[in-house]
Amino acid sequence: MKRNHQELDVKLDQLAEAIRLESPAEQTINESAERVWARLASQAEVAPIIETAPAERIRSCADFQSLIPVYLHGELSDARALLLEDHTHECIPCRKALKEARNGARTLATKAKRANLSTQRKHVPAVWRWSIAAGLLLCIGIAASVFTHRFSPFGEAIAANVESANGTVFRVSESDSRTITAGEAIKRGETIRTAKDSGAMVRLADGSLIEMRERSEFSLSDSVQGTTIHLERGDIIVQAAKQHAKHLYVATPDSLVSVTGTIFSVNSGTKGSRVSVVEGEVHVNHSGTEDVLHPGEQAATQPTLERVPVAEEVAWSRNADLYAKELAQVASLRKELNERVPHPGVRYSTRFLDMVPDNTVLYAALPNLSATLSESHRIMQERIAQNPALREWWSEREKSGQHVAGPNQMIEKVRAFGEYLGDEIVLSAGLDERGEPGSLLVLGELKNAQGFRPFLERQVKELGAEAKNSPNVHVIDDPLAQSTATATDAKPANELYIWIHEDFFAASPKLEQLRQLETTINTPTTNRFAGTPFYTRISEIYREGAGLIVAADLEKIVQQRIQEEAKTPEGAKRLETYRQLGLLNLKHFVVEQKEGEGKTQSRAILTFNEPRRGIASWLAAPAPMGSLQYVSPDANVATAFVVKEPALLVDDLLGFMDTVSPDLRKHLQDLEAQHGLDVKRDLAAPLGGEFAFAVDGPLAPTPSWKMVVEVYDQARLQQTFEHVIDELNRWAATQHRGGLQWEQTQSGGRTFYTLRSVDFSGVEVNYTYANGYLIVAPSRALIERAIQYHDSGYTLLHAPQFTASLPEDGHTNFSAVFYYNLGAMLAPVAEHFAESKNMTDEQRQSLKSLTGDLRPTLAYAYAQGDRITIASNTEGGPFGLGAARLLGAPSDFDIQHILMNCMGSKNAEKH
Amino acid sequence: MQATVAHIRAVPRPPGELERLFREHHAQIFRTAYRVTGSATDAEDVLQTVFLRLARRQQDDAQQDFSPNPMSYFHRAAVNASLDLLRGRSRAKSVSLEDVSSDLVSSAQLSPEAQHEERELRKLLRQAVARLGEHAAEVFALRYFEGYDNREIAEMLKTSQMVVAVTLHRARTRLRREISEFLEKSYEA
């Protein structure tokens, strides 16, 4: 009997809850406690305690190395063991020392076994070095068990499986070596080796695949940071699976490679090691430096080791042809869809704008996409038929019912309709007397008006046969001549009137709408819509070339709202709040997307009927952003914006507060007086107008966030900070808390300030002032790195992934910019939440597809006198309406998935 | 030779300090151990282990170990000692499949037999938790048996909330699988 996730989740929660509620009887506790205390008291007096002597405080590598014997002994406290494990990951000399100590423990162990142990008991002088050796002897018996225990924190003895072995593969231990065959498991700590002319594929527990060349040897270990492949010698190619919160490491005698999910090769030989990258990003630590490698790049640990082409380096692989070919094939499909398929051209005029009713507040225009869709579909089907990898992926996708908008029937229908339709379809909606949206009207150009009516009637009949709730469709010849009798009988919601006139059609649920339309067409002067600003705004879009348009007349909607609200005193109050927020000045909102030169351009524009005011005016006109020069090219998230005078912001906020609650302002003034602080003068005035925030660096244990703020008056701001912290500490003291501790350090002519929480250890904020900016981060190292980025010019602003997404337009600056490269960062979080039982399946699905679709994206805004423009230039645009996406063509994520899949199946076929 | 690496020292006992800690925390430690192990005898052993360790370590690093407060130190110590105990035992023997029922009803209105079966299922969960990795087992026990929230656990273990969330998620996936496999097997049996 299979149970689904939810059931099991509920069961798990029930069990855990039941366990949480279990409680022993008071009497049991008391009796036990008495017995234990009695035993403690008696034992404690006699039991001698063995104490080793590790360093009291860890300051240097020597201190770390002094901990090694105790660590191997298994007696190091968890915290220190963690520190040591962590350190040996980064520090090559210490890792060497640990390894030697371990080997030493083994050789000494064998020696000791051979000689009679009891006769060896002699006094050795307490020289430190000797005491280490002796400490090793002491732990002989348990060294091995501690070793395996320490390195398998997740309790799985099996670290990997040999998927296929080609030739001879050995499992090597101290005493002997034994051949292993495909399918055998490898435990942590075991060493496996390939003989000459042999090879093997080893699958790690996390799904990563290691391909071994002849005469290669490695072992595996695990720590809290992730799995480490200890490559003793030889060549391996690693296809690292996605490493959620952890990393996959490859350690060679002279380097450490760390990755989160890529394909790369490591070659470790007598002269040194060489790392080559096929896909993804790889960090290589060697000789005290860190190299970051990208596809096609290579790093060598020794200068005598020359670079060779990456393709050559992986040429021994049995998958060599695959790496090159498959990737190219699959990736080319998307390119083909995006570039070769003709997109509907932009339209420079429309007749429908003159036909929509006076009260239109929403206007949407769509190009006829059917040709693009069916052509894309044809190409995709062709490629799918040719490429087995794609075919597999497609059928998998169809089975799971995911995103496949293109079953053949549907596409056929769309194509058939498209044959009759012209270039544009327009949808308009108006506001009725009660301020509700209504009077829907759809207008469409027709290419083949004669054929359309019979075609439509056929479709309606088919639809009626299939679905019960389909609308009652009336195809009419002349709305004015049509009697209204039929309309009043049935429920209006379920009626649809279609009028085919000359070479266009009009459809509406209300006959009245079509009558009005006919009147407008007969006497164009009766249409008052043509004179409105909304009309002018839309025709402006057509003048510049239109693709997809969605436009809303906010002014009219706001007017309606004002009339409604003004009727009640509460409403009037709310209106005042809206006024302070600047919302009553809204005019139009327009979203448009068009194709041009192989790029999709999308933007949203918000216009105001007078210069922006209130909160809407905070965003300043486009200006240079120096703050972004403190952000590295590898940032996950970076956002920056310029504002008008911060002091004026405070005025706006206060004005806004007045409307919400006049008491609040009074309260604030009291607070200000009480603590001798003036928010506007002391805090806002010293600030410049530029802010940036970034998440830039590792996320664990503390996310590497940073904030960069432009500062005009550094002295005053610092004074304010000190004053605020003093006040805060005074308050904390009254609450019997430790408050915050200041620390100041001078370094390189700069003062670094550290604020540490006394109550919560580990919580601290660091900041400094540099070149007129305040830089805040959770650690001083991050600040120093930020300044280095700035000084070296190695910044996000010059990163290829950033510059490639910059828009082609006349602006040199932005008012606000938001850049994100989130995929890798969000995946584990999304996975966690996707399992949460508080979410619907739909939410889970969208979350999953969200993380799959994420790739570096740049969104930006321009604020000008009476408008704010928000746009994004990445493929598919912020609204993601590319033909390829609509048809479910593979995204970057899918491509990787296909590739991994087909590699896996190829490997399976081979053994 | 031992003398050269280790110096023998009597147990450091600041007068009354250990006794005070014992008096203040023994009940809490016992309850925690009882929840994790499911047995009063085991809980007694854990209580003894925790204080023996404390007595040995007190002078050296009691100060740093106690942060942020003794309460959470003892919680962790009790959870870990209990898990160690279960781990040692699960290597020796494992629960027999026939012992455990696959009923998915809540324990509130159960017959005595069903209650017994429900208890066996709890036993399975306890052992399964002990079989998780050290870190995962501790995080899971603190979260679900002891009722700490993710933020508190992250603070106690000096790690990030995200690490805690991910660890919990993985642990749950594994426990779900164990429960599911177990229920299936017992159905077949």
Side-chain angles (χ1 to χ4, degrees):
Chain A
M1 182 180 161
K2 276 268 173 203
R3 287 183 174 78
N4 63 25
H5 258 196
Q6 279 91 341
E7 273 182 313
L8 288 167
D9 252 336
V10 170
K11 187 69 199 163
L12 181 57
D13 282 336
Q14 271 176 8
L15 283 173
E17 178 67 11
I19 289 175
R20 201 167 66 77
L21 294 176
E22 278 183 28
S23 183
E26 282 300 318
Q27 203 187 343
T28 322
I29 300 180
N30 292 337
E31 286 170 7
S32 274
E34 267 170 39
R35 282 194 295 274
V36 170
W37 183 246
R39 265 173 288 181
L40 276 176
S42 65
Q43 263 193 11
E45 271 150 25
V46 291
I49 303 302
I50 295 167
E51 293 276 346
T52 45
E56 293 275 313
R57 283 181 63 184
I58 309 172
R59 288 183 209 87
S60 64
C61 281
D63 291 340
F64 271 114
Q65 290 178 15
S66 79
L67 296 176
I68 291 175
V70 198
Y71 171 73
L72 288 175
H73 197 298
E75 288 195 344
L76 203 56
S77 73
D78 285 353
R80 284 187 161 203
L82 198 68
L83 279 179
L84 181 65
E85 281 166 16
D86 191 62
H87 179 73
T88 51
H89 251 290
E90 288 161 2
C91 171
I92 291 160
C94 285
R95 190 161 76 241
K96 246 181 183 160
L98 176 64
K99 208 169 134 187
E100 275 163 16
R102 231 178 239 139
N103 291 341
R106 283 203 201 121
T107 28
L108 285 175
T110 21
K111 274 184 197 158
K113 232 185 261 169
R114 273 183 220 127
N116 188 337
L117 254 178
S118 58
T119 59
Q120 292 230 332
R121 286 185 155 263
K122 55 182 175 185
H123 194 83
V124 183
V127 179
W128 181 231
R129 206 155 22 134
W130 282 105
S131 69
I132 294 179
L136 293 175
L137 266 182
L138 194 73
C139 63
I140 289 162
I142 45 171
S145 70
V146 167
F147 180 56
T148 44
H149 191 60
R150 276 278 168 224
F151 282 85
S152 58
F154 294 93
E156 294 155 327
I158 294 169
N161 259 299
V162 179
E163 284 213 333
S164 71
N166 170 15
T168 319
V169 184
F170 295 107
R171 189 200 305 273
V172 191
S173 70
E174 269 173 65
S175 46
D176 66 337
S177 52
R178 208 165 54 73
T179 54
I180 45 177
T181 50
E184 259 187 72
I186 302 166
K187 297 198 179 80
R188 298 190 201 289
E190 278 181 340
T191 301
I192 73 162
R193 181 188 295 164
T194 47
K196 65 178 167 52
D197 298 329
S198 304
M201 290 289 220
V202 178
R203 175 83 64 183
L204 299 187
D206 67 0
S208 301
L209 193 65
I210 306 170
E211 182 174 6
M212 297 177 79
R213 198 183 186 178
E214 60 160 353
R215 301 173 205 261
S216 301
E217 177 179 322
F218 70 78
S219 62
L220 296 166
S221 73
D222 246 348
S223 75
V224 274
Q225 294 191 321
T227 304
T228 306
I229 303 164
H230 300 271
L231 182 65
E232 290 298 322
R233 60 193 161 91
D235 289 34
I236 54 172
I237 295 179
V238 182
Q239 294 170 24
K242 209 159 187 189
Q243 302 285 313
H244 304 295
K246 295 182 168 195
H247 279 80
L248 181 69
Y249 298 92
V250 177
T252 72
D254 58 356
S255 70
L256 179 73
V257 183
S258 65
V259 299
T260 50
T262 81
I263 301 177
F264 63 101
S265 98
V266 182
N267 174 341
S268 171
T270 318
K271 270 165 76 181
S273 310
R274 186 165 50 212
V275 179
S276 319
V277 179
V278 178
E279 185 193 303
E281 187 182 286
V282 169
H283 295 245
V284 183
N285 271 294
H286 65 90
S287 342
T289 60
E290 175 169 317
D291 288 342
V292 180
L293 303 183
H294 295 101
E297 292 178 346
Q298 204 167 56
T301 56
Q302 300 299 328
T304 51
L305 211 53
E306 278 199 0
R307 282 153 202 240
V308 298
V310 172
E312 208 171 287
E313 189 82 340
V314 298
W316 55 270
S317 165
R318 55 174 89 180
N319 287 334
D321 55 331
L322 212 103
Y323 296 132
K325 278 187 207 151
E326 297 281 0
L327 184 63
Q329 261 187 34
V330 182
S332 72
L333 168 66
R334 218 161 37 117
K335 209 171 160 209
E336 201 172 342
L337 289 185
N338 276 330
E339 290 176 7
R340 277 212 220 136
V341 177
H343 289 285
V346 290
R347 305 178 305 286
Y348 292 94
S349 67
T350 183
R351 53 175 161 169
F352 293 143
L353 190 54
D354 292 315
M355 296 187 194
V356 297
D358 304 350
N359 62 350
T360 299
V361 293
L362 184 80
Y363 179 95
L366 294 156
N368 183 354
L369 272 172
S370 64
T372 312
L373 281 177
S374 59
E375 179 63 7
S376 299
H377 183 252
R378 192 187 60 74
I379 293 180
M380 263 177 78
Q381 292 305 324
E382 218 174 87
R383 290 288 167 281
I384 286 167
Q386 288 164 358
N387 187 326
L390 264 179
R391 199 161 55 225
E392 199 174 293
W393 168 79
W394 185 258
S395 67
E396 203 178 276
R397 196 105 192 233
E398 266 179 334
K399 256 183 266 161
S400 63
Q402 207 185 355
H403 289 315
V404 190
N408 294 340
Q409 279 177 318
M410 265 277 280
I411 291 294
E412 194 44 48
K413 210 159 248 182
V414 169
R415 198 192 52 77
F417 260 104
E419 301 256 298
Y420 295 97
L421 294 181
D423 290 339
E424 186 174 47
I425 300 167
V426 165
L427 184 147
S428 81
L431 273 185
D432 62 17
E433 312 75 47
R434 283 164 302 152
E436 306 276 329
S439 50
L440 218 63
L441 179 67
V442 179
L443 295 159
E445 297 278 358
L446 287 178
K447 244 188 308 195
N448 178 354
Q450 282 85 17
F452 187 62
R453 183 161 185 165
F455 170 76
L456 189 68
E457 278 166 350
R458 228 177 17 251
Q459 294 295 329
V460 167
K461 210 179 268 173
E462 273 176 35
L463 194 71
E466 281 168 24
K468 274 184 200 162
N469 268 341
S470 61
N472 207 352
V473 181
H474 310 268
V475 183
I476 51 179
D477 296 314
D478 186 353
L480 288 173
Q482 185 81 17
S483 90
T484 47
T486 42
T488 43
D489 290 348
K491 273 180 268 168
N494 221 13
E495 300 292 315
L496 184 66
Y497 296 91
I498 301 177
W499 175 37
I500 301 171
H501 178 69
E502 292 169 1
D503 53 356
F504 71 90
F505 77 90
S508 174
K510 282 183 190 153
L511 184 60
E512 183 49 38
Q513 208 70 54
L514 298 181
R515 287 165 182 271
Q516 203 184 328
L517 177 65
E518 192 175 7
T519 319
T520 310
I521 292 170
N522 293 340
T523 45
T525 44
T526 56
N527 189 349
R528 280 169 297 148
F529 182 62
T532 62
F534 191 45
Y535 176 94
T536 317
R537 179 77 188 87
I538 298 172
S539 34
E540 236 172 64
I541 304 174
Y542 278 102
R543 260 207 306 284
E544 289 170 17
L548 174 120
I549 305 173
V550 178
D553 188 349
L554 297 176
E555 196 171 15
K556 231 179 230 169
I557 298 172
V558 167
Q559 286 310 320
Q560 182 86 29
R561 187 89 198 144
I562 290 176
Q563 282 172 17
E564 281 295 309
E565 293 285 21
K567 286 176 191 160
T568 61
E570 295 83 39
K573 213 169 164 190
R574 271 201 294 277
L575 274 184
E576 185 49 35
T577 311
Y578 296 150
R579 199 182 308 281
Q580 283 290 346
L581 288 172
L583 293 181
L584 295 188
N585 303 314
L586 288 171
K587 198 171 177 191
H588 302 134
F589 177 64
V590 172
V591 175
E592 53 171 328
Q593 177 178 338
K594 61 185 171 193
E595 306 284 334
E597 291 158 21
K599 237 184 185 176
T600 310
Q601 292 188 3
S602 328
R603 55 183 180 162
I605 305 167
L606 193 61
T607 40
F608 298 83
N609 59 14
E610 58 176 45
R612 291 173 295 126
R613 46 170 297 177
I615 286 176
S617 71
W618 288 6
L619 209 56
M625 291 173 178
S627 51
L628 280 180
Q629 288 179 337
Y630 294 90
V631 179
S632 87
D634 304 319
N636 290 112
V637 181
T639 179
F641 52 94
V642 286
V643 297
K644 68 175 189 183
E645 195 70 15
L648 296 179
L649 243 78
V650 174
D651 283 342
D652 276 346
L653 257 186
L654 290 176
F656 170 58
M657 262 160 50
D658 277 344
T659 67
V660 180
S661 152
D663 300 346
L664 209 60
R665 182 171 195 158
K666 174 86 177 54
H667 193 64
L668 185 79
Q669 279 165 348
D670 287 350
L671 263 181
E672 283 187 338
Q674 198 181 330
H675 295 292
L677 189 76
D678 180 335
V679 173
K680 189 173 158 188
R681 190 195 62 206
D682 296 331
L683 191 62
L687 293 179
E690 199 189 318
F691 296 82
F693 178 86
V695 179
D696 189 2
L699 285 162
T702 313
S704 310
W705 59 266
K706 67 177 93 159
M707 198 168 80
V708 184
V709 180
E710 194 186 12
V711 178
Y712 289 157
D713 189 345
Q714 181 179 324
R716 159 150 284 176
L717 189 65
Q718 181 56 28
Q719 202 184 337
T720 308
F721 283 163
E722 286 173 16
H723 182 73
V724 169
I725 302 298
D726 278 351
E727 291 288 320
L728 208 73
N729 280 340
R730 206 166 299 152
W731 174 82
T734 64
Q735 307 288 315
H736 306 289
R737 281 166 197 260
L740 295 166
Q741 239 172 21
W742 276 107
E743 197 182 293
Q744 271 187 41
T745 30
Q746 299 286 336
S747 168
R750 205 163 257 133
T751 312
F752 290 88
Y753 301 88
T754 306
L755 268 175
R756 223 173 253 122
S757 163
V758 180
D759 305 299
F760 304 97
S761 65
V763 176
E764 62 171 62
V765 168
N766 289 264
Y767 67 89
T768 191
Y769 299 95
N771 315 312
Y773 288 95
L774 166 75
I775 305 172
V776 192
S779 76
R780 201 180 120 186
L782 278 171
I783 298 178
E784 283 175 339
R785 219 172 301 148
I787 296 173
Q788 275 168 21
Y789 293 139
H790 173 268
D791 295 349
S792 68
Y794 177 71
T795 70
L796 181 67
L797 290 175
H798 301 108
Q801 63 265 40
F802 183 82
T803 49
S805 30
L806 291 175
E808 288 164 26
D809 61 19
H811 294 282
T812 45
N813 292 307
F814 300 109
S815 295
V817 56
F818 178 67
Y819 167 85
Y820 67 84
N821 188 359
L822 279 183
M825 168 175 142
L826 276 187
V829 186
E831 197 193 323
H832 175 70
F833 286 118
E835 292 290 333
S836 154
K837 52 183 191 269
N838 296 330
M839 293 182 90
T840 66
D841 282 345
E842 199 182 325
Q843 283 170 318
R844 257 178 229 151
Q845 201 54 52
S846 64
L847 199 64
K848 270 185 194 155
S849 61
L850 172 78
T851 49
D853 291 342
L854 287 172
R855 61 196 98 148
T857 292
L858 181 76
Y860 47 89
Y862 304 115
Q864 287 137 312
D866 64 346
R867 62 183 58 191
I868 297 177
T869 307
I870 303 163
S872 152
N873 259 34
T874 48
E875 188 192 316
F879 322 108
L881 277 174
R885 284 310 283 159
L886 276 177
L887 282 168
S891 62
D892 293 347
F893 178 73
D894 295 326
I895 289 180
Q896 190 181 344
H897 180 75
I898 298 173
L899 205 65
M900 285 307 190
N901 261 3
C902 77
M903 280 181 191
S905 60
K906 285 261 158 98
N907 298 331
E909 281 161 25
K910 282 194 176 159
H911 58 75
Chain B
M1 169 149 53
Q2 281 190 0
T4 62
V5 284
H7 38 275
I8 295 177
R9 205 202 291 162
V11 176
R13 283 186 61 192
E17 174 68 3
L18 199 64
E19 191 172 348
R20 183 183 65 80
L21 288 170
F22 188 86
R23 215 177 35 244
E24 282 174 10
H25 297 286
H26 77 266
Q28 179 214 336
I29 296 173
F30 191 91
R31 286 204 181 88
T32 298
Y34 184 83
R35 281 192 284 266
V36 179
T37 62
S39 134
T41 328
D42 287 348
E44 188 172 321
D45 283 353
V46 168
L47 180 60
Q48 179 162 338
T49 310
V50 168
F51 273 92
L52 263 181
R53 278 183 196 164
L54 182 67
R56 287 171 187 184
R57 301 171 67 174
Q58 206 173 14
Q59 201 156 55
D60 273 11
D61 42 18
Q63 292 309 317
Q64 65 209 50
D65 271 337
F66 275 12
S67 66
N69 63 48
M71 186 86 161
S72 63
Y73 164 81
F74 282 119
H75 250 134
R76 281 195 67 187
V79 164
N80 282 323
S82 306
L83 288 168
D84 280 344
L85 194 136
L86 287 180
R87 264 180 218 122
R89 191 166 303 156
S90 67
R91 262 178 236 127
K93 62 164 193 189
S94 60
V95 67
S96 104
L97 297 183
E98 289 77 10
D99 279 358
V100 184
S101 131
S102 57
D103 272 326
L104 282 176
V105 258
S106 102
S107 66
Q109 60 289 69
L110 290 179
S111 67
E113 296 92 331
Q115 278 185 14
H116 169 75
E117 286 161 356
E118 172 78 14
R119 267 202 301 278
E120 287 300 322
L121 209 50
R122 283 182 212 167
K123 190 162 146 196
L124 165 86
L125 179 62
R126 287 186 166 110
Q127 283 165 345
V129 169
R131 277 196 300 273
L132 293 172
E134 278 178 29
H135 177 68
E138 179 177 6
V139 171
F140 187 90
L142 287 171
R143 174 73 178 77
Y144 291 103
F145 295 168
E146 297 305 299
Y148 281 100
D149 66 28
N150 289 11
R151 189 183 52 77
E152 291 165 329
I153 296 172
E155 257 169 39
M156 277 159 84
L157 305 190
K158 299 204 170 46
T159 176
S160 73
Q161 283 192 56
M162 185 135 90
V163 170
V164 171
V166 171
T167 308
L168 281 175
H169 166 61
R170 290 204 186 129
R172 286 188 69 104
T173 309
R174 209 170 130 179
L175 293 173
R176 253 198 331 257
R177 201 170 60 223
E178 290 222 17
I179 293 177
S180 156
E181 277 169 12
F182 186 82
L183 292 178
E184 264 168 56
K185 273 184 202 158
S186 65
Y187 247 79
E188 283 160 20

